[in-house]
Amino acid sequence: MDISIRTELGKDYRRVEEITRAAFSYPERIERGGIGCPYEHWMVHELRKRDGIPELSFVAEVDHNIIGHIICSKAEVRTSDRIIPVLNVGPLSVLPEYQRKGVGKALIRSMTGKAAELGFGAILFFGRPEYYPQFGFKEASEWQITDSDGYNYPAFMGMELIAGYLSYARGGKYYESDIYDDNLNRNRVKDFDKSFES
């Protein structure tokens, strides 16, 4: 399968949201919190307007059809005396029929390569700890960084794009966009989802 990666364009927006919705529409996921639909397609929609970074929003194509997407957004680590800008990753979405075929890997590698090229210092995010270490991600505890509530766990991971960048963030707490707050955005997500076919 020949996978091509390119920057997302305005004309791709709705299709990307449909793909993201499909990628996260498995039953045990959409019933979390009892809202009956995924959150991630709304997240992508909102990130484009707020904290998203257009240069780090990529689509994957096969035969000129979009089958996957990744987006990055602004985040930060706050210590007692400084704020260190970092990248957040996600959602990463691949159509169900194309999952486990290297599409996600191609998107992640393109994103990390471009982020380094653009001069970003590090990535911190929440993801699957059994998947992301293959790309060089490590537990955030490696740098003594916690989530905003002061906790650490295997799903909270990071990667330095500039060697030593996260040494300035030791002892800090990580803050991402408030779009990731399920409770805060639940009704907005449900309203947005009504514009999609079942």
Side-chain angles (χ1 to χ4, degrees):
M1 184 171 68
D2 186 18
I3 304 165
S4 63
I5 307 295
R6 64 169 175 81
T7 305
E8 181 189 39
L9 303 173
K11 66 183 178 67
D12 305 322
Y13 286 2
R14 183 64 174 191
R15 181 59 185 147
V16 163
E17 290 161 8
E18 292 169 348
I19 287 167
T20 304
R21 186 177 188 270
F24 289 94
S25 286
Y26 46 95
E28 62 273 23
R29 177 65 178 83
I30 65 174
E31 288 308 318
R32 183 181 58 118
I35 73 163
C37 67
Y39 271 79
E40 287 78 4
H41 59 317
W42 177 84
M43 290 177 180
V44 169
H45 182 78
E46 288 297 308
L47 282 173
R48 293 193 195 106
K49 296 187 281 186
R50 293 201 267 163
D51 301 310
I53 301 168
E55 300 89 345
L56 295 175
S57 184
F58 295 101
V59 296
E61 292 183 317
V62 170
D63 297 327
H64 304 290
N65 294 310
I66 300 174
I67 60 163
H69 175 256
I70 193 169
I71 191 168
C72 290
S73 56
K74 299 170 188 173
E76 60 191 30
V77 178
R78 301 174 192 168
T79 70
S80 60
D81 62 350
R82 66 180 72 190
I83 295 175
I84 297 97
V86 294
L87 291 175
N88 179 57
V89 180
L92 166 64
S93 309
V94 178
L95 280 174
E97 59 267 35
Y98 287 96
Q99 292 175 5
R100 298 178 180 83
K101 296 183 178 180
V103 179
K105 289 179 181 179
L107 284 163
I108 293 165
R109 289 186 176 123
S110 293
M111 177 276 295
T112 55
K114 185 64 174 180
E117 180 186 315
L118 291 173
F120 288 97
I123 299 167
L124 287 166
F125 78 117
F126 304 98
R128 289 171 35 214
E130 70 278 9
Y131 180 71
Y132 288 98
Q134 66 183 300
F135 305 105
F137 288 96
K138 303 174 184 177
E139 289 187 32
S141 59
E142 175 103 359
W143 300 280
Q144 298 171 21
I145 300 168
T146 69
D147 69 11
S148 60
D149 294 318
Y151 296 109
N152 226 310
Y153 31 84
F156 180 32
M157 291 174 282
M159 172 194 286
E160 289 185 320
L161 300 173
I162 296 173
Y165 186 85
L166 290 176
S167 64
Y168 300 102
R170 289 190 182 277
K173 292 183 177 182
Y174 173 70
Y175 293 85
E176 60 188 351
S177 172
D178 66 6
I179 70 150
Y180 296 98
D181 187 329
D182 294 353
N183 293 321
L184 178 66
N185 297 303
R186 183 169 297 183
N187 290 330
R188 297 174 69 193
V189 172
K190 287 196 290 187
D191 289 343
F192 178 70
D193 191 66
K194 290 174 185 175
S195 68
F196 291 78
E197 293 183 9
S198 298

